[in-house]
Amino acid sequence: MISRITGFLAAIAMAATLAVSPAHAQDQKPADAASAVAVDAAAPAPAAAPAKQDNPYSLANIVAHGNVVDQVVLLILGIMSMGSWYILVVRLWDTSKLSAEAKEVRATFFKKASLADGIRGLKEESAFRYIATAAVEASEHHEGALTENIDHSSWVTMNVERAVADVNTKISAGLGFLATVGSTSPFIGLFGTVWGILNALTAIGVAGQASIDKVAGPVGAALIMTAIGLVVAVPAVLGYNWLVNRNKAVMGQVRSFAGDLHGVLMGNRAVAKR
C-alpha cells in the first residue's frame, strides 16, 4: 500500500515537472528581451510597464487558449506520463523488496528444524511464504479420484509452478502499459504536431498572407506536442527494459527457492503439520 501511494505521488510530481519546465523555459526568452530593451532605452521619465502578452509558444497558452484537439492530446499524454512513472516506482519497490526477501530466505529458511518453522518465520505477505504454503498443501493433500492419477512429485511440481507464475504475474503487472506508452506516445505527439501545422496553414489561407502572427501560435503548439510525446515515450521505454531485466534476475532467485523447496518435500514425504 505504501509503495503504491509513493508511486502515485511520484507520478504526479514528475508529470507536473515535465509540464511546467517547457513553459518556463519558453516564457524566459520574452522576459529577457524586454529587460534588454528597457536597459538600452534612454527615457527621461519612467514609462508605464506594457501589458504582459501571452507567449504563443508556451504550454500554458495551449492549455488556456488551445483548441479541443490540442487539449485532448495533452491530457492523453499527461495520463500516460503519470501512469508510466507510477508503474516504474511501484514495480521498483516490489522487485527491491522481493530481492531482499530472497537473500534473507536463502540464509535462514532451510536452516530451520522443519518446514513449518520455516514458513512461520516468513512474513504474511511474503511471496516466498505463498510459494512454500502452496507446496506444502499440495504435498499433504494429494487425494481425489482424478489427482490420484498424478504421481506425487508431478502434483507438487505443478502447484509450485502455479505459485511461481502468480508471483511473476504480480511483479510484471504494468509492463504492457509501459510498452504501449513507449510505442504510441510519439505518434500521439506527432498527431498534435500535424494538427498544429494544419491550423497554421488554415490561418495562412484565411489571412491570404504568411505573416508570423498568424502561424506563430499553431507552429509553437505543434513543436511542443512533438517534444512532449518524446518526453513521455523515452522514460517508458527505458523503464520497461530496466524492469524486464530486474524481473528476470529476481524471478531467478524465486525459482531457485522453489526448486530447493521441491527437493526438500520429495526427500521428506512426512511433512510436519503447520
Side-chain angles (χ1 to χ4, degrees), residues 186-220:
F187 296 101
I188 295 176
L190 183 60
F191 172 78
T193 301
V194 173
W195 186 262
I197 294 174
L198 176 62
N199 288 337
L201 294 176
T202 302
I204 293 173
V206 172
Q209 57 182 355
S211 58
I212 190 64
D213 60 323
K214 300 297 182 181
V215 299
V219 171

Side-chain angles (χ1 to χ4, degrees), residues 56-198:
Y57 296 97
S58 68
L59 180 62
N61 184 70
I62 300 176
V63 175
H65 307 294
N67 55 59
V68 176
V69 175
D70 290 338
Q71 293 174 348
V72 169
V73 170
L74 280 177
L75 178 62
I76 294 174
L77 291 175
I79 294 174
M80 284 183 166
S81 179
M82 291 179 60
S84 298
W85 284 104
Y86 172 81
I87 292 170
L88 283 171
V89 173
V90 171
R91 294 285 84 85
L92 176 61
W93 175 282
D94 290 341
T95 53
S96 298
K97 183 173 67 173
L98 194 59
S99 180
E101 290 176 356
K103 295 179 180 179
E104 182 180 357
V105 168
R106 175 65 63 182
T108 61
F109 182 84
F110 294 103
K111 296 180 180 179
K112 300 292 185 180
S114 65
L115 284 177
D117 292 339
I119 292 175
R120 280 194 292 268
L122 299 175
K123 298 178 181 179
E124 288 289 339
E125 68 278 6
S126 172
F128 293 94
R129 179 162 185 162
Y130 172 70
I131 294 172
T133 301
V136 171
E137 288 180 350
S139 180
E140 292 179 347
H141 302 286
H142 182 221
E143 67 273 351
L146 296 178
T147 57
E148 285 181 353
N149 297 324
I150 306 174
D151 64 275
H152 182 262
S153 177
S154 298
W155 175 250
V156 174
T157 300
M158 290 165 55
N159 283 271
V160 170
E161 289 178 350
R162 290 193 193 102
V164 171
D166 290 341
V167 174
N168 186 39
T169 300
K170 180 180 178 181
I171 67 170
S172 299
L175 293 183
F177 181 84
L178 289 180
T180 301
V181 171
S183 60
T184 60
S185 57
F187 296 101
I188 295 176
L190 183 60
F191 172 78
T193 301
V194 173
W195 186 262
I197 294 174
L198 176 62

Side-chain angles (χ1 to χ4, degrees), residues 6 13 20 34 42 53-54 63 75 95 117 127 144 157 187 194 205 211 217 225-226 243 246 252 255 258-260 264:
T6 304
V20 172
Q53 297 180 353
D54 291 338
V63 175
L75 178 62
T95 53
D117 292 339
T157 300
F187 296 101
V194 173
S211 58
M225 292 298 181
T226 303
L243 288 178
R246 284 181 63 89
R255 291 188 178 93
D260 294 343
V264 171

